[in-house]
Amino acid sequence: MAKKAQATWGGRFSAGPAELMLKFSESVSFDSRLAPFDIAGSKAHSAMLAHVGLITAKERDAIHAGLDAILADVQAGKFTWSTQLEDVHMNIEQALTQRVPAAAKLHTARSRNDQVATDMRLYFKAACTDLIQRIDGAQRAILGIAEANADVLIPGYTHLQRAQPVFLAHHFFAYLEMLQRDAERFVVVQDHANWCPLGSGAIAGTTLPIDREFSAKQLGFVDAKGRPRVTQNSMDAVSDRDLYIEFASACALVGVHLSRIAEDLILWASQEFKFVELPDAFCTGSSLMPQKKNPDSMELTRGKSARLQGNLHTLLTLVKGLPLTYNRDLQEDKPPVFDSHDQTAMLLDVLAGTFAGMSVHRERCATAVADPALLATDLADYLVRAGVPFREAHHAVGAVVKVAEKKRVPLDRLTHDEVKNVHAKFGPDWIESFQLEKAMARRRGTGMPGPAQLKRQFARWKKLFG
Ligand code: ARG
């Protein structure tokens, strides 16, 4: 049953791990995606070893050439990953050993603990750039449909009850704000990732004369002025998993935002609302009911947001009871991180595709927003302008609504006499409160949905997206 002792750490063992243990403990099936970062880390590390004289320039060059060849194999899909060798680090080291004798010196003053911490920090920097770009793509698609329907008004909702009229673009701009905050969060995570843990060793650094700042610079762990940023405590550096949690948290919040957007679109695509038509390319049909067109892309968005929250929870729980420093439990930190990255990337692309192919049922929106009740607050403001205290005005308009309901007519079908009976300050021009265009024009303060503000926001977003 037992295998040959493991090459990299097998010295003190007389037998290798059981087949089951290999299957149980391997991580190469998921951490092989770290290969480009692992190779970059090893190149920087060997460059540093040569710089301080622990290996020769010739040995460094042989190691670099070997690592470049391995990277080319990995990228061409020609590299054979072996679960026998546990993880990405030992697979690459072993492959290098077969190519260059100097490979035996590569792991000088390094542990897999600071190695994996370095790989992951490099990975996070790239993953944040990737997601920031995809957020940008989703935002552009939203801006596109907002522009194509810049004149469309819809009822805004609170409690899912019609509240006040807004431009559809104003509603879409709310999505842009949410996504903008998401992008900013990834910028922060990226900055937190920008510290080099290499040189922390397994837990307590090394007795050899390494140059941590040199390695950090090689790998781009530098501040705005190009000064190296290296972690300040070897024990924290190998056991810290804050970044993983921050990244998963940023993904989970993207998920929450996209889920809310999805819920809007699911409602709006229903026969009951019918404000929008979702693209066929992002909908599916029913195997039984021939008439159905289901908003599956948005439903799955809602569903996958649960998964992103689950990944965050997994990471929080994984770390919470661990004594310092590295424990093998920490290998389980990667699947939830990678899953959050991959799913968030797909969610953003699907949102972009759904918005890009969506059309707006303008007549349905116009009918819905024509409801005069949406301007009841404007009617109260009318009284306020006539000097009535707002609470009294609110009460009076409430009474007007009651009269209209009793007569079973829309608010704007009451006569001047009928409303004057409710409050003496209703003049003959009371009815002008229901002129939608005027009502919108009055909402001119910063952040409000009036046409002047809408223009400003279009300009702001367009400038941001170039
Ligand atoms: N595959 C391991 C992980 O992902 C690498 C670190 C292994 N370190 C150790 N001491 N066994 O966590």
Side-chain angles (χ1 to χ4, degrees), residues 193-234:
N194 193 24
W195 290 90
C196 187
L198 208 56
S200 301
I203 166 169
T206 175
T207 59
L208 297 167
I210 63 168
D211 184 341
R212 292 194 60 207
E213 285 70 19
F214 182 94
S215 310
K217 266 193 182 166
Q218 292 279 307
L219 288 169
F221 289 109
V222 291
D223 67 14
K225 289 189 177 140
R227 291 173 302 203
R229 281 173 117 191
V230 299
T231 54
Q232 298 290 305
N233 183 292
S234 63

Coordinates of all heavy atoms in Angstrom, one line a residue, residues 193-234:
A193 N -2.7 43.5 -0.5 CA -1.9 42.4 -1.0 C -0.4 42.8 -1.2 O 0.4 41.9 -1.3 CB -2.5 41.8 -2.3
N194 N -0.2 44.0 -1.3 CA 1.1 44.5 -1.8 C 2.2 44.5 -0.7 O 2.8 45.6 -0.5 CB 0.9 45.9 -2.5 CG 2.1 46.3 -3.3 OD1 2.9 45.5 -3.7 ND2 2.2 47.6 -3.4
W195 N 2.4 43.4 0.0 CA 3.5 43.3 0.9 C 4.1 41.9 0.7 O 3.4 40.9 0.6 CB 2.9 43.4 2.4 CG 2.4 44.7 2.7 CD1 1.1 45.2 2.6 CD2 3.2 45.8 3.3 NE1 1.1 46.5 3.0 CE2 2.3 46.9 3.5 CE3 4.5 45.9 3.7 CZ2 2.7 48.1 4.0 CZ3 4.9 47.1 4.3 CH2 4.0 48.2 4.4
C196 N 5.4 41.9 0.7 CA 6.1 40.7 0.4 C 6.5 39.8 1.6 O 7.2 40.3 2.5 CB 7.4 40.9 -0.4 SG 8.2 39.4 -1.0
P197 N 5.9 38.6 1.7 CA 6.2 37.8 2.9 C 7.4 36.9 2.7 O 7.9 36.2 3.6 CB 4.9 36.9 3.0 CG 4.3 36.9 1.6 CD 4.9 38.0 0.8
L198 N 8.0 36.9 1.5 CA 9.1 36.0 1.2 C 10.3 36.3 2.1 O 10.6 37.5 2.3 CB 9.6 36.2 -0.3 CG 10.2 35.0 -1.0 CD1 9.4 33.8 -0.9 CD2 10.5 35.4 -2.4
G199 N 10.9 35.3 2.7 CA 12.0 35.5 3.6 C 11.5 35.2 5.1 O 12.3 35.2 6.0
S200 N 10.2 35.0 5.2 CA 9.7 34.7 6.5 C 10.0 33.2 6.9 O 9.8 32.8 8.0 CB 8.2 34.9 6.6 OG 7.9 36.3 6.3
G201 N 10.3 32.4 5.9 CA 10.6 31.0 6.1 C 9.4 30.3 6.5 O 8.3 30.6 6.2
A202 N 9.6 29.2 7.3 CA 8.5 28.4 7.8 C 7.8 29.1 8.9 O 6.6 29.1 9.0 CB 9.0 27.1 8.3
I203 N 8.5 29.9 9.7 CA 7.9 30.6 10.8 C 8.9 31.7 11.3 O 8.5 32.7 11.8 CB 7.5 29.6 12.0 CG1 7.2 30.4 13.3 CG2 8.6 28.6 12.3 CD1 6.6 29.5 14.3
A204 N 10.2 31.4 11.3 CA 11.2 32.2 12.0 C 12.3 32.7 11.1 O 13.4 32.9 11.5 CB 11.7 31.5 13.2
G205 N 12.0 32.9 9.8 CA 13.0 33.5 8.9 C 14.1 32.5 8.6 O 13.8 31.3 8.4
T206 N 15.3 32.9 8.6 CA 16.5 32.1 8.2 C 17.7 32.6 8.9 O 17.8 33.8 9.2 CB 16.7 32.0 6.7 OG1 17.8 31.3 6.4 CG2 16.8 33.4 6.1
T207 N 18.7 31.7 9.0 CA 20.0 32.1 9.6 C 20.9 32.6 8.4 O 22.0 33.2 8.7 CB 20.7 31.0 10.3 OG1 20.9 29.9 9.3 CG2 19.9 30.5 11.4
L208 N 20.5 32.4 7.2 CA 21.3 32.8 6.0 C 21.1 34.3 5.7 O 20.1 34.8 6.0 CB 21.0 31.9 4.8 CG 21.2 30.4 5.1 CD1 20.6 29.5 4.0 CD2 22.7 30.1 5.2
P209 N 22.1 34.9 5.1 CA 22.1 36.3 4.9 C 21.3 36.8 3.7 O 21.9 37.2 2.7 CB 23.6 36.7 4.7 CG 24.2 35.4 4.1 CD 23.4 34.3 4.7
I210 N 20.0 36.6 3.7 CA 19.2 36.9 2.6 C 18.9 38.5 2.5 O 19.1 39.2 3.5 CB 17.9 36.1 2.6 CG1 17.0 36.5 3.8 CG2 18.1 34.7 2.5 CD1 15.6 36.0 3.7
D211 N 18.3 38.9 1.4 CA 18.0 40.3 1.2 C 16.5 40.4 0.8 O 16.1 40.3 -0.3 CB 18.9 40.9 0.1 CG 18.6 42.4 0.0 OD1 17.5 42.9 0.4 OD2 19.5 43.1 -0.6
R212 N 15.7 40.5 1.8 CA 14.2 40.5 1.6 C 13.8 41.6 0.7 O 12.8 41.5 -0.1 CB 13.5 40.5 2.9 CG 13.6 39.3 3.8 CD 12.6 39.3 4.9 NE 11.3 39.3 4.4 CZ 10.2 39.7 5.0 NH1 10.3 40.3 6.2 NH2 9.0 39.7 4.4
E213 N 14.4 42.8 0.9 CA 14.0 44.0 0.1 C 14.3 43.7 -1.4 O 13.5 44.2 -2.2 CB 14.7 45.2 0.6 CG 14.1 45.8 1.9 CD 14.4 44.9 3.2 OE1 15.3 44.1 3.1 OE2 13.7 45.1 4.2
F214 N 15.3 43.1 -1.6 CA 15.7 42.7 -3.0 C 14.6 41.9 -3.7 O 14.1 42.2 -4.8 CB 17.1 42.0 -3.1 CG 17.5 41.7 -4.5 CD1 18.4 42.5 -5.1 CD2 17.1 40.5 -5.1 CE1 18.9 42.2 -6.4 CE2 17.6 40.2 -6.4 CZ 18.4 41.1 -7.0
S215 N 14.2 40.8 -3.0 CA 13.1 39.9 -3.5 C 11.8 40.7 -3.7 O 11.2 40.5 -4.7 CB 12.8 38.8 -2.5 OG 14.0 38.1 -2.1
A216 N 11.5 41.6 -2.7 CA 10.2 42.3 -2.8 C 10.2 43.2 -4.1 O 9.2 43.2 -4.8 CB 10.0 43.2 -1.6
K217 N 11.4 43.8 -4.3 CA 11.5 44.7 -5.5 C 11.3 43.9 -6.8 O 10.6 44.3 -7.7 CB 12.8 45.4 -5.5 CG 12.8 46.8 -4.8 CD 14.1 47.5 -5.1 CE 14.1 48.9 -4.5 NZ 15.5 49.4 -4.5
Q218 N 12.0 42.8 -6.8 CA 11.9 41.9 -8.0 C 10.5 41.6 -8.3 O 10.1 41.4 -9.5 CB 12.7 40.6 -7.7 CG 14.2 40.7 -7.6 CD 14.8 40.8 -8.9 OE1 14.6 40.0 -9.8 NE2 15.6 41.9 -9.1
L219 N 9.7 41.4 -7.3 CA 8.3 40.9 -7.5 C 7.3 42.1 -7.6 O 6.1 41.8 -7.7 CB 7.9 40.0 -6.4 CG 8.6 38.6 -6.4 CD1 8.4 37.8 -5.2 CD2 8.1 37.8 -7.7
G220 N 7.8 43.3 -7.5 CA 6.8 44.4 -7.6 C 6.1 44.7 -6.4 O 5.1 45.4 -6.4
F221 N 6.6 44.2 -5.2 CA 5.9 44.6 -4.0 C 6.6 45.9 -3.5 O 7.5 45.9 -2.7 CB 6.2 43.5 -2.9 CG 5.4 42.3 -3.1 CD1 6.0 41.1 -3.5 CD2 4.0 42.2 -2.9 CE1 5.3 39.9 -3.7 CE2 3.3 41.1 -3.1 CZ 3.9 39.9 -3.5
V222 N 6.2 47.0 -4.1 CA 6.8 48.3 -3.9 C 5.7 49.3 -3.7 O 4.6 49.2 -4.1 CB 7.7 48.7 -5.0 CG1 8.9 47.9 -5.1 CG2 6.9 48.7 -6.3
D223 N 6.0 50.4 -3.0 CA 5.1 51.5 -2.8 C 5.2 52.5 -4.1 O 5.9 52.2 -5.0 CB 5.3 52.3 -1.5 CG 6.6 53.0 -1.5 OD1 7.3 53.2 -2.5 OD2 7.0 53.4 -0.4
A224 N 4.4 53.6 -4.0 CA 4.3 54.5 -5.1 C 5.7 55.0 -5.5 O 5.9 55.4 -6.7 CB 3.3 55.6 -4.8
K225 N 6.6 55.1 -4.5 CA 7.9 55.7 -4.9 C 8.9 54.6 -5.2 O 10.1 54.8 -5.3 CB 8.4 56.4 -3.6 CG 7.7 57.7 -3.4 CD 8.3 58.6 -2.3 CE 7.6 59.9 -2.2 NZ 7.6 60.3 -0.7
G226 N 8.4 53.3 -5.4 CA 9.3 52.2 -5.8 C 10.0 51.6 -4.6 O 10.9 50.8 -4.8
R227 N 9.7 52.0 -3.4 CA 10.4 51.4 -2.2 C 9.8 50.1 -1.9 O 8.5 49.9 -1.9 CB 10.3 52.3 -1.0 CG 11.1 53.6 -1.2 CD 10.9 54.6 0.0 NE 9.5 54.9 0.0 CZ 9.0 56.0 0.6 NH1 9.8 56.9 1.2 NH2 7.7 56.3 0.7
P228 N 10.6 49.1 -1.5 CA 10.1 47.7 -1.3 C 9.2 47.7 0.0 O 9.4 48.4 0.9 CB 11.3 46.9 -1.0 CG 12.4 47.9 -0.6 CD 12.1 49.1 -1.4
R229 N 8.1 46.9 -0.1 CA 7.2 46.7 1.0 C 7.3 45.3 1.4 O 6.9 44.3 0.7 CB 5.8 47.0 0.6 CG 5.4 48.5 0.5 CD 4.1 48.6 -0.1 NE 3.1 49.2 0.8 CZ 1.8 49.2 0.6 NH1 1.3 48.7 -0.5 NH2 1.0 49.8 1.5
V230 N 7.9 45.0 2.6 CA 8.1 43.7 3.1 C 7.3 43.5 4.4 O 7.2 44.5 5.2 CB 9.6 43.3 3.3 CG1 10.3 43.3 2.0 CG2 10.2 44.1 4.3
T231 N 6.7 42.4 4.6 CA 6.0 42.1 5.9 C 6.9 42.2 7.1 O 8.1 41.9 7.0 CB 5.3 40.7 5.9 OG1 6.3 39.7 5.6 CG2 4.3 40.6 4.8
Q232 N 6.4 42.6 8.2 CA 7.3 43.0 9.4 C 7.3 41.9 10.5 O 8.0 42.1 11.5 CB 6.7 44.3 10.0 CG 6.8 45.5 9.0 CD 8.3 45.9 8.7 OE1 9.0 46.2 9.6 NE2 8.6 45.9 7.4
N233 N 6.6 40.8 10.3 CA 6.6 39.8 11.4 C 6.5 38.4 10.7 O 5.5 38.1 10.0 CB 5.5 40.0 12.4 CG 5.5 39.0 13.5 OD1 5.3 37.8 13.3 ND2 5.8 39.4 14.7
S234 N 7.5 37.6 10.9 CA 7.6 36.3 10.1 C 6.5 35.4 10.5 O 5.9 34.7 9.7 CB 9.0 35.6 10.4 OG 9.1 35.3 11.8

